[in-house]
Amino acid sequence: MGTHMVVSATSYRVTLIKNWAAMLGAVVVAGVVSVVSAAPAGAEPAAHVVGQQPLGPAAVQMDVYSPAMDRVITNRVIRAPGGGPAPTLYLLTGIGGGVDNISWWDDTDVRAFFADKHVNVVMPIGGAYSMYTDWLGDDPAVGRNRWQTYLTQELPGVIDDQLGTTGRNAVAGVSMSAASAVDLAIQAPQRYDAVASYSGCPWSNDPTGIAMVSAQVIRGGGNPGNMWGPPGGGAWPAHDAFGRAGALAGKSIYLSAASGIPGTIDRGWAFPPVEALASACTSAFAGRLAQVGVPAVYIERPRGAHTWGLFEQDLHDSWPQLAGAIGA
């Protein structure tokens, strides 16, 4: 493993991204249809806890009503040991949203790892194929998604009240949610002091980025037009991580990805092409941050094939940096 500051994307990585974009472009065009109108906004109750149940000595399942999505979202919460105010790490899972029993909770040592760490760890369940963003309209396949509102406004208020936090936060994501974590940190600059992206693909509002994002939404049966409007227009520019990279200035940023070549770090099902693509995207975004003068730590692993063994190690390795940024 090599630890270094951001570097420029190499030509082979750029070629890899472009090749993937070309293959996905036809899928995107076929999948984007008319936008469904958003439901009219009205007076809404505040987000609140509707139920809790213990998940062990230090963890709890916290069910929170989201006014923005008009439904209850289940969250697994590991409370900081020892009492007293503690900061919070919002830890997002992959494309299945955790409802498929594939998540940090299910597939890593997250409970044991944070058992002696002075931090609250919050892991929402849901958001499959949603990019963890606010959609412009409800979608026949994936329903109503207002995940940005939930994660940056509704849930933090509830967590702060319930746990008596310090009010300092970090957000981290893996695979699909890695790019979402970066986007959330840009969209809500006052909410997070640190952000980590593990094996993801921070996107740009260009044909490549549009193809990457749209393919993930379409995989779940959703319509990307209902998310941010017509490709390249609508709300897409506002979520362009490359175009808005400067908004991350002042935050602690951790980026990691591996080559896609399987190695001893891997555990479970491997997806070498996905990790190779994540490596290309992450390298390109690291280069963009360097270009705009935003410091970041970028870890490029020579072995690793998009498995939870890789992701678990990335979480472990990034923790000292995240902890320092939020005072954990």
Side-chain angles (χ1 to χ4, degrees):
M1 180 186 72
T3 303
H4 51 280
M5 301 304 290
V6 291
V7 296
S8 298
T10 58
S11 59
Y12 87 91
R13 285 181 172 136
V14 173
T15 300
L16 176 62
I17 295 176
K18 290 181 178 179
N19 287 343
W20 273 76
M23 288 187 290
L24 293 172
V27 176
V28 172
V29 171
V32 178
V33 294
S34 59
V35 177
V36 176
S37 297
E44 297 176 335
H48 59 278
V49 175
V50 299
Q52 295 191 57
Q53 64 182 62
L55 296 174
V60 63
Q61 175 179 305
M62 187 180 298
D63 298 325
V64 176
Y65 173 70
S66 165
M69 290 188 278
D70 192 24
R71 66 176 185 264
V72 174
I73 307 297
T74 294
N75 309 271
R76 295 183 178 114
V77 179
I78 302 172
R79 293 169 294 197
T88 304
L89 169 63
Y90 291 90
L91 193 55
L92 308 180
T93 194
I95 199 166
V99 297
D100 52 2
N101 298 316
I102 300 172
S103 69
W104 294 103
W105 181 269
D106 297 295
D107 297 286
T108 73
D109 67 350
V110 66
R111 282 165 281 181
F113 180 72
F114 285 106
D116 62 349
K117 310 293 191 296
H118 187 63
V119 65
N120 303 301
V121 182
V122 179
M123 295 165 281
I125 302 174
Y129 312 105
S130 71
M131 310 309 295
Y132 288 109
T133 189
D134 280 2
W135 287 43
L136 297 180
D138 295 350
D139 187 272
V142 298
R144 178 171 299 177
N145 287 302
R146 304 287 190 275
W147 285 95
Q148 178 182 313
T149 296
Y150 179 70
L151 292 168
T152 65
Q153 300 177 35
E154 295 176 341
L155 183 59
V158 170
I159 294 296
D160 290 348
D161 289 343
Q162 290 287 314
L163 304 183
T165 73
T166 64
R168 300 184 67 181
N169 307 292
V171 60
V174 63
S175 195
M176 178 195 79
S177 70
S180 300
V182 171
D183 184 50
L184 290 168
I186 292 172
Q187 301 300 322
Q190 302 307 313
R191 178 62 66 189
Y192 309 108
D193 298 297
V195 57
S197 166
Y198 313 123
S199 297
C201 196
W203 52 74
S204 178
N205 187 39
D206 61 11
T208 299
I210 292 168
M212 296 298 175
V213 173
S214 297
Q216 294 175 83
V217 173
I218 292 169
R219 179 179 167 187
N223 175 1
N226 288 329
M227 183 174 65
W228 292 330
W236 287 81
H239 296 277
D240 182 345
F242 280 70
R244 302 193 62 194
L248 294 170
K251 299 187 185 302
S252 180
I253 304 168
Y254 187 98
L255 309 172
S256 63
S259 65
I261 301 171
T264 57
I265 197 171
D266 291 309
R267 186 180 69 248
W269 289 102
F271 300 92
V274 175
E275 189 62 32
L277 179 62
S279 179
C281 292
T282 303
S283 177
F285 187 61
R288 173 59 179 166
L289 289 172
Q291 184 181 47
V292 299
V294 175
V297 168
Y298 169 41
I299 304 299
E300 182 181 28
R301 297 183 186 274
R303 295 287 187 275
H306 214 74
T307 69
W308 283 99
L310 169 65
F311 307 151
E312 179 181 274
Q313 190 61 57
D314 285 333
L315 177 62
H316 289 189
D317 291 350
S318 67
W319 174 243
Q321 179 176 330
L322 298 178
I326 60 178

